[in-house]
Amino acid sequence: MLELEHVQFTAGTTNIVKDVSLTIPEGRFVVITGPNGGGKTTLAKLIMGIEQPTGGAIRWNGADVTHLSITERARLGISYGFQAPPRFKGMRVSDLLQLAAGSDQQLTHDQCCAYLTKVGLCARDYVGRDVDASLSGGELKRIEIATILARGSGREHSLMIFDEPEAGIDLWSFAKLTETFRALHAGGKATVIIISHQERIIRLADEIVLIAGGEVKARGSVDEVFPLIMRDTVSTCSAAEQEGL
């Protein structure tokens, strides 16, 4: 179970995350959504340890992880996919998958291929490639998602965080990715948090958390929260049209 208690993050004089409290039971599929600049990515980075909160506490399965390093959190089963994944020059895709899986499990060639297939990549073409500038942003994004699957799949008490996994991915691969998330949800072993604006991903969620201005504005089921999102979107567009924007 993930618990956030009055979590805050201030950069200079700007309050980016303001007193956020959330409890996410183990095995839940949660989508965090909201307008750009609302604090969604910062909140995800606080959970992973990429940023340190300036207030509050973060607990994972009862353990206080508030001030643990990224490595320490990873050992506890927490993984994170960036909006813009890093490149690892001199490393093959299969090596990256094995590194993500950890030293306690040795991936076979077929297992590596299976993870790549789940994210819409032709495994034969990618498993032996270098993770370098020859890969497009969309390809790199899918490979990173595959590493998170390799890290969390089959493990008890894993938390997978995906920051806008749809970014830079074509429609065909996105359809495959949606099926992968649906299968993850059905498996029920991992706790999944996805930051997304895509309706097809949002509708997979057990719960939607709407964040704006650094605060939780609404949370609940898809049926409860999605109409609020649509209403706010329509009202914002109408206001912009009236102002001639």
Side-chain angles (χ1 to χ4, degrees):
M1 180 168 66
L2 177 67
E3 300 171 276
L4 278 62
E5 297 180 356
H6 306 291
V7 171
Q8 302 173 49
F9 181 74
T10 300
T13 59
T14 304
N15 297 321
I16 298 174
V17 175
K18 307 172 185 175
D19 196 32
V20 170
S21 294
L22 289 172
T23 297
I24 299 176
E26 190 170 6
R28 296 281 281 182
F29 190 111
V30 176
V31 172
I32 298 177
T33 193
N36 292 335
K40 305 182 297 300
T41 292
T42 299
L43 184 63
K45 288 181 176 180
L46 292 172
I47 296 170
M48 187 66 240
I50 298 168
E51 299 284 0
Q52 291 291 316
T54 52
I58 302 171
R59 294 183 176 85
W60 171 238
N61 290 326
D64 188 342
V65 301
T66 309
H67 300 296
L68 293 187
S69 68
I70 297 171
T71 300
E72 290 169 320
R73 297 185 204 211
R75 288 173 179 156
L76 293 175
I78 304 175
S79 54
Y80 180 91
F82 291 84
Q83 282 188 33
R87 297 179 187 270
F88 297 89
K89 294 180 180 179
M91 184 176 289
R92 293 177 304 173
V93 172
S94 58
D95 298 329
L96 192 57
L97 289 167
Q98 180 58 64
L99 183 64
S103 58
D104 57 335
Q105 58 172 322
Q106 187 66 37
L107 293 182
T108 65
H109 180 271
D110 288 347
Q111 286 174 317
C112 288
C113 290
Y115 288 126
L116 293 172
T117 300
K118 285 180 179 180
V119 296
L121 292 174
C122 179
R124 181 184 65 248
D125 296 338
Y126 287 91
V127 70
R129 283 186 65 174
D130 289 333
V131 187
D132 57 18
S134 69
L135 294 168
S136 71
E139 289 171 323
L140 194 62
K141 183 77 171 181
R142 283 177 280 172
I143 290 168
E144 183 190 51
I145 293 169
T147 66
I148 295 174
L149 297 178
R151 181 66 184 172
S153 294
R155 294 175 182 267
E156 297 293 334
H157 313 303
S158 63
L159 170 60
M160 302 181 186
I161 306 168
F162 300 91
D163 191 355
E164 297 192 21
E166 69 273 14
I169 294 180
D170 58 70
L171 290 175
W172 294 269
S173 300
F174 178 67
K176 181 66 177 177
L177 193 59
T178 303
E179 290 302 316
T180 297
F181 288 141
R182 184 176 285 111
L184 265 179
H185 187 198
K189 289 185 177 181
T191 303
V192 179
I193 298 175
I194 300 181
I195 298 173
S196 180
H197 305 285
Q198 279 285 343
E199 181 177 352
R200 287 171 64 182
I201 291 179
I202 290 173
R203 290 196 174 277
L204 295 175
D206 294 315
E207 182 177 25
I208 300 173
V209 178
L210 176 60
I211 291 182
E215 300 175 302
V216 175
K217 297 297 186 181
R219 62 178 300 188
S221 68
V222 174
D223 290 340
E224 292 170 330
V225 179
F226 192 71
L228 299 178
I229 297 171
M230 295 305 295
R231 185 193 65 193
D232 289 347
T233 302
V234 171
S235 62
T236 301
C237 290
S238 297
E241 288 174 357
Q242 290 175 7
E243 293 175 5
L245 298 177

